[in-house]
């Protein structure tokens, strides 16, 4: 009987330790990180939806990306960051318009240009040492 209680106690203790370890909270992301993650999610979704010929979904995501980048770009303190962010907004608007026309080639080209602007921003601003 004592062995059963000892095993039960050890099991409950182990479960509580693992549960506590699982609850360790990740640090809160900075606002810019949240913006970038949202942009990356839209880009991924648009690429996947373009491959599946879901032009309505591409247009919706592009419109959301355009609105977010325009809002952020207009108030961006860094002139280069402002320029690149507003360029992404303009290109995302082009993606939305092309997707509405079901013009897959234009959508693909503009998505490539957006990725280029993202890479340029990362190289010149984010990763600059």
């Amino acid at each position: 009987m004592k062995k059963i209680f000892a095993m039960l106690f050890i099991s409950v203790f182990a479960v509580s330790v693992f549960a506590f370890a699982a609850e360790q909270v990740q640090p809160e992301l900075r606002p810019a990180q949240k913006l970038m993650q949202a942009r990356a999610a839209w880009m991924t979704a648009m690429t996947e939806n373009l491959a599946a010929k879901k032009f309505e979904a591409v247009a919706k995501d592009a419109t959301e990306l355009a609105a977010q980048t325009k809002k952020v770009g207009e108030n961006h303190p860094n002139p280069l960051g402002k320029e690149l962010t507003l360029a992404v907004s303009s290109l995302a608007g082009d993606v939305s318009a092309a997707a509405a026309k079901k013009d897959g080639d234009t959508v693909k080209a503009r998505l490539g240009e957006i990725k280029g602007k993202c890479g340029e921003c990362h190289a010149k601003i984010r990763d600059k040492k």
Side-chain angles (χ1 to χ4, degrees):
M1 190 69 153
K2 289 183 181 181
K3 289 182 182 180
I4 293 174
F5 283 119
M7 290 302 289
L8 183 61
F9 176 76
I10 291 171
S11 298
V12 170
F13 179 75
V15 168
S16 63
V17 167
F18 289 126
F20 178 75
E23 288 184 23
Q24 294 297 322
V25 179
Q26 296 293 328
E28 181 70 22
L29 296 176
R30 294 186 314 256
Q33 290 173 314
K34 291 179 183 178
L35 292 172
M36 295 303 133
Q37 286 186 350
R39 292 176 191 176
W42 281 318
M43 289 298 293
T44 300
M46 285 187 286
T47 302
E48 291 172 358
N49 286 327
L50 178 60
K53 306 273 190 230
K54 296 179 181 177
F55 290 104
E56 296 81 19
V58 172
K60 177 185 170 291
D61 289 336
T63 300
E64 290 175 5
L65 175 61
Q68 188 244 47
T69 51
K70 182 177 181 185
K71 180 179 176 183
V72 171
E74 289 173 344
N75 299 314
H76 204 292
N78 180 323
L80 179 59
K82 180 175 188 164
E83 175 188 332
L84 293 171
T85 303
L86 291 175
V88 168
S89 178
S90 176
L91 290 167
D94 294 346
V95 169
S96 181
K101 296 176 186 174
K102 299 184 190 249
D103 182 357
D105 292 334
T106 301
V107 170
K108 187 175 181 179
R110 295 301 172 266
L111 287 177
E113 290 178 42
I114 291 173
K115 289 177 185 176
K117 293 294 180 188
C118 292
E120 184 179 349
C121 187
H122 283 224
K124 293 181 177 179
I125 297 174
R126 188 194 77 172
D127 298 336
K128 187 176 178 181
K129 302 279 184 207

